[in-house]
Amino acid sequence: MSDRLSGEEGAAGFPLLTVLALMAGIFAVGSEELVVSPLLVDMATSFDTTVAVMALSVSAYGISTAIGALLFAPLGDRFSRRLSLTIGMAAFVSGTLMCAFATGPGLFFTGRALAGLATGAFVPTAYAFVGDHIAYRHRAKAMGILVSSWSISLVLGVPMGSFIGQWANWRWTFGMLSILGVFVACVLLMTRVGAGPAGPAGHDAPRPTATQDTAPVSSQQWIQSAARAFLAPKVSLYVLATFLNMLGFYGMYTFLGSALQYRFGDGSSMTGILILLYGLGFATSFVTGRWADKLGKERVLVALLGGLVPALVAIPLVAGWTPLLVLCLFLWGAMQSLVVTLLSTLLSESSQQYRGTVLAFYSLATNLAVALGAALLGPLFTEYGFSALGWVCAGITLVAFVLSGWAQRRGIERATTGGEAAAVRTLETKGEGGRK
């Protein structure tokens, strides 16, 4: 591929500028995705509807992101990932502007859907860059940096959007995000993200011939390629674990802002502050990603998913005690950030040939969870409250914990079987040598 580094380049030093540029892009789309939670009550009032109805805009966003991932992310495996990034950011700006100027829920939902398509093109492509450009020993660190941009969205983007929405109007939040999207697009173009300085003096690597990577692909070939990617070792288990983990996460997070606003009252800055503290916990993946490399990615993933189960139950139960709520939100953010880092890293390492397609499945699972979390759990939150929501999300996460443990066990068994087979082949070779 034209934008993929050579093996020598990939094994070289850490490509900081490329990672920071991708981080800035994910910050932009992440802020747009996550900022809806603290604004749901104000948007419902503005459009004279209910929180549960406006929460469906999260579902529209998630479904569109899944579609965008399936349509656009795999193109990076055959064409230029940089093209997917550029298209995604242009669509993001257009969709966010539609949200800012929406005159009713219909137009607002349309803008959210367009922004979702943009995220579907951008995020899995950015994750695929990590697998293409960065050596294995740095990969979890780099993925941690990209995932930490979601936490920066929480630490800076979401609280700032919440404060702007409270002090001015929620429309100004989306207007500022559209300006940010234009800035990020300019940065990506200036840094030529994904060009891959494979040639001397940083020149782009030669583009492949049409017969190599740009030949037309039939629908049957695409389906076969997607099936091979999905059936790669442990991919299906980790994709399903991703879906369940994200379903539990977004089921809680989508209504966290509303629950906090009901708890502290309209106009209180505590909603933004507590989401900020959650985001500080999420930002720890920048550091903890390196610990996971040393302790073992799969082992740490299983432990964290197990820890998320009681955390999701505890958060609604301690909502009346602010110090305990702060601690639980911080720990939830810290564990969730590393879970996302590890799942995306393990999937990116599962198949080099189909990396972009595998990460498209990852994005599909994530955003189906976004859609279903808001659509299915909204009525639960409305009818039974935040505590019931916590128990259901904890149960969903428990299943993800079981799946991740199963995947780890299969990996151990495969490694043991492979080692025994190699030992047998070595003994057979030595025996044949002795007979000669």
Side-chain angles (χ1 to χ4, degrees), residues 198-217:
H203 294 296
D204 292 355
R207 292 189 61 83
T209 62
T211 58
Q212 287 177 312
D213 279 337
T214 60
V217 182

Side-chain angles (χ1 to χ4, degrees), residues 5-74:
L5 290 177
S6 65
E8 182 179 359
E9 294 274 0
F14 191 80
L16 183 62
L17 186 60
T18 297
V19 172
L20 290 179
L22 296 175
M23 181 180 179
I26 293 179
F27 169 79
V29 299
S31 296
E32 203 278 343
E33 176 178 356
L34 298 170
V35 78
V36 169
S37 175
L39 301 177
L40 279 176
V41 174
D42 294 334
M43 289 190 297
T45 301
S46 178
F47 291 132
D48 193 22
T49 185
T50 65
V51 168
V53 169
M54 291 310 301
L56 292 176
S57 69
V58 179
S59 300
Y61 186 97
I63 292 171
S64 299
T65 304
I67 294 172
L70 288 175
L71 292 179
F72 300 120

Side-chain angles (χ1 to χ4, degrees), residues 55-314:
L56 292 176
S57 69
V58 179
S59 300
Y61 186 97
I63 292 171
S64 299
T65 304
I67 294 172
L70 288 175
L71 292 179
F72 300 120
L75 295 178
D77 285 338
R78 304 193 59 81
F79 301 103
S80 171
R81 300 201 197 279
R82 178 171 172 257
L83 179 61
S84 294
L85 293 173
T86 304
I87 293 173
M89 195 50 59
F92 165 78
V93 173
S94 300
T96 306
L97 283 174
M98 289 180 65
C99 291
F101 291 101
T103 56
L107 187 57
F108 182 82
F109 280 32
T110 303
R112 290 285 289 170
L114 183 56
L117 288 172
T119 301
F122 192 94
V123 175
T125 304
Y127 289 160
F129 269 132
V130 173
D132 289 344
H133 288 240
I134 296 174
Y136 180 82
R137 66 181 184 275
H138 296 309
R139 199 167 294 154
K141 174 186 174 183
M143 197 69 76
I145 292 175
L146 293 195
V147 172
S148 72
S149 59
W150 292 100
S151 68
I152 296 174
S153 300
L154 287 168
V155 172
L156 296 178
V158 176
M160 287 178 62
S162 177
F163 294 145
I164 292 171
Q166 290 168 2
W167 294 341
N169 188 282
W170 62 265
R171 297 179 187 276
W172 282 96
T173 301
F174 287 93
M176 295 299 293
L177 286 173
S178 65
I179 295 173
L180 175 62
V182 173
F183 172 76
V184 169
C186 293
V187 172
L188 291 175
L189 291 173
M190 289 173 61
T191 55
R192 295 185 60 78
V193 174
H203 294 296
D204 292 355
R207 292 189 61 83
T209 62
T211 58
Q212 287 177 312
D213 279 337
T214 60
V217 182
S218 67
S219 59
Q220 182 178 0
Q221 289 174 321
W222 186 90
I223 293 172
Q224 290 174 348
S225 176
R228 293 190 193 100
F230 190 74
L231 294 176
K234 296 189 285 189
V235 168
S236 58
L237 287 176
Y238 281 133
V239 168
L240 185 55
T242 296
F243 170 75
L244 293 170
N245 168 253
M246 290 297 185
L247 184 62
F249 166 71
Y250 277 104
M252 284 285 286
Y253 182 82
T254 298
F255 302 99
L256 175 64
S258 298
L260 293 175
Q261 195 161 346
Y262 292 148
R263 160 76 170 81
F264 295 104
D266 294 339
S268 173
S269 61
M270 285 301 295
T271 298
I273 291 172
L274 287 173
I275 291 177
L276 170 64
L277 292 170
Y278 168 84
L280 290 174
F282 204 91
T284 58
S285 64
F286 187 89
V287 175
T288 55
R290 287 176 285 182
W291 297 348
D293 281 335
K294 297 178 181 178
L295 297 175
K297 298 181 183 70
E298 292 184 317
R299 181 187 307 171
V300 174
L301 175 63
V302 173
L304 289 171
L305 285 171
L308 281 173
V309 175
L312 291 170
V313 174

Side-chain angles (χ1 to χ4, degrees), residues 378-399:
L380 179 69
F381 172 73
T382 302
E383 292 293 328
Y384 299 102
F386 202 37
S387 294
L389 190 66
W391 281 102
V392 171
C393 291
I396 293 169
T397 305
L398 179 62
V399 182

